[in-house]
Amino acid sequence: RFRPSLPIHRDELRNVGMEHQIDRLCSPYVKKHLLERFFGHDWMRVKNRFFDDDGYETFKFKQGLCSEVEIEKIVEREGSTVGYKSKEEMIYGLKLLINNVVLLRDDDRPHEAFYPRIEMWKTTSFQELPGDMQNKLRNLYQSYFYGRQDQYWADAAMLKLPPLLDASRMMVCGEDLGMIPACVKGVLEQLVIMGLKIQRMPAPGESQGKFGNPDKYPYLSVCTPSCHDMSTVAGWWEEMPAHLRKEFWNVLLQRPGDPPHKFSTEIITMIVEQHMWSPSIWAVFPIQDFLAMDNHFASPNPRSDQINWPPNPQHYWRWRSRISLQQLMQREDFSSRIRQLVEKSGRLGGY
């Protein structure tokens, strides 16, 4: 959950007729059919080791199994309960179940204050609620993330950010991507903090299609075609659904017909040039995107060039460039090409 934030109070759940469902919404939702889905015909062995009965075809985790850490310890120590399931598959299924909740309890006021889980509608706990309850929870979710916090978070930002800005001469960029409350834009503008613009993640209201247009980025921003938490431009091009690739090809790159499925150095160059010519005060590029502009430097497997995989908490950053600094220095034509892009776009001087 976000800290600090204003929680959903018990009175609010009472007012919409859901006070009696608090335990159901806050506890991991485990039913027989879910155990069968994750663990197959040997689901009973899993049930007997990790769960106690809690009513008709409903189960609760045994006492002491209240976190992912405890589950991992047991499975790593005892191995898989199901012979044809690996330890990793066991841990994955049990983690999904222990996180199958709609509301999170407040640590200090567990019976009075609650927080909606992000994207709660993706859980089976939410999906198997009656339609009217789903609608009420969606309204509370919308209020929590996009209403009640706005002024509270804006006031907190105005207390915390000015001292940070005054502590250094460095230019500050705010990562205003993803779930962004309405107050963020105003706070960044008031404090003259740059925003972050990533073409494949346009902010609401900043694009008519699925992609941001670098030509229309504000001066007070940092633009980049990719970052460490996502695929490179080459990887993104090849993983994009066909209809989106065609939209990008026809609209953003202004090329007719159908686009090639595989990336090319020409496509990467066009996207890099778009960002170079953007009004953004800074244009920042992962080195993988520069290397993909050259046939000799481009990776044969763009997927392997992604530095971090956010969905995998066990992943660690281990990307290494296939090209050495000595090889880059020997390719004066490549360095000259990058320099020409910087010069022509007016980015060689100061900002």
Side-chain angles (χ1 to χ4, degrees), residues 291-321:
L291 296 177
M293 295 168 56
D294 185 275
N295 283 320
H296 296 288
F297 291 158
S299 172
N301 178 19
R303 184 177 175 83
S304 67
D305 272 345
Q306 182 168 335
I307 294 174
N308 186 39
W309 294 86
N312 180 6
Q314 304 303 320
H315 178 81
Y316 59 95
W317 296 20
R318 57 183 175 185
W319 180 84
R320 296 293 183 270
S321 173

Side-chain angles (χ1 to χ4, degrees), residues 175-178 196-203 210-212 217 222-240 248 271 275 284-289 301-312 315 317 319:
E175 187 189 309
D176 51 343
L177 302 172
L196 180 60
K197 306 299 177 186
I198 297 182
Q199 194 167 34
R200 69 187 88 170
M201 296 180 64
K210 295 290 186 181
F211 311 103
Y217 290 161
V222 176
C223 72
T224 180
S226 64
C227 72
H228 61 282
D229 276 339
M230 57 180 60
S231 53
T232 61
V233 171
W236 173 53
W237 183 265
E238 295 188 355
E239 72 190 19
M240 241 193 299
F248 191 92
I271 295 173
H275 288 74
V284 180
F285 303 87
I287 193 172
Q288 297 95 314
D289 291 340
N301 178 19
R303 184 177 175 83
S304 67
D305 272 345
Q306 182 168 335
I307 294 174
N308 186 39
W309 294 86
N312 180 6
H315 178 81
W317 296 20
W319 180 84

Side-chain angles (χ1 to χ4, degrees), residues 44-201:
M44 275 294 294
R45 298 177 63 181
V46 179
K47 177 261 174 186
N48 291 336
R49 177 61 188 88
F50 294 96
F51 299 93
D52 291 325
D53 288 308
D54 193 32
Y56 179 69
E57 294 191 345
T58 302
F59 310 99
K60 60 183 178 182
F61 278 91
K62 289 183 180 292
Q63 188 173 2
L65 293 180
C66 56
S67 70
E68 295 182 4
V69 174
E70 294 302 322
I71 289 173
E72 285 192 25
K73 284 181 181 178
I74 290 177
V75 176
E76 289 294 342
R77 183 175 67 246
E78 300 180 2
S80 174
T81 310
V82 180
Y84 54 86
K85 294 280 187 180
S86 66
K87 289 193 295 184
E88 290 74 20
E89 290 175 308
M90 283 290 300
I91 291 172
Y92 176 76
L94 290 169
K95 281 185 176 181
L96 285 179
L97 290 172
I98 204 167
N99 288 301
N100 195 20
V101 299
V102 175
L103 298 179
L104 306 175
R105 294 182 185 271
D106 185 86
D107 293 337
D108 299 320
R109 295 176 296 160
H111 303 294
E112 299 297 327
F114 311 91
Y115 306 89
R117 172 206 167 116
I118 292 177
E119 295 186 332
M120 62 184 181
W121 53 85
K122 291 185 177 181
T123 67
T124 51
S125 178
F126 179 88
Q127 293 163 4
E128 296 188 9
L129 289 169
D132 63 324
M133 287 186 62
Q134 291 186 17
N135 185 57
K136 292 173 182 177
L137 286 166
R138 284 183 183 274
N139 290 336
L140 289 171
Y141 183 98
Q142 189 71 17
S143 168
Y144 175 82
F145 284 110
Y146 301 105
R148 73 177 67 194
Q149 316 294 344
D150 277 359
Q151 192 58 50
Y152 182 58
W153 281 341
D155 292 342
M158 296 307 293
L159 286 174
K160 297 176 181 178
L161 292 179
L164 293 176
L165 296 172
D166 292 340
S168 172
R169 295 179 58 196
M170 291 189 295
M171 300 181 73
V172 176
C173 175
E175 187 189 309
D176 51 343
L177 302 172
M179 294 177 63
I180 301 301
C183 64
V184 169
K185 186 175 186 294
V187 170
L188 294 184
E189 290 176 350
Q190 187 173 348
L191 297 177
V192 197
I193 295 176
M194 296 178 292
L196 180 60
K197 306 299 177 186
I198 297 182
Q199 194 167 34
R200 69 187 88 170
M201 296 180 64

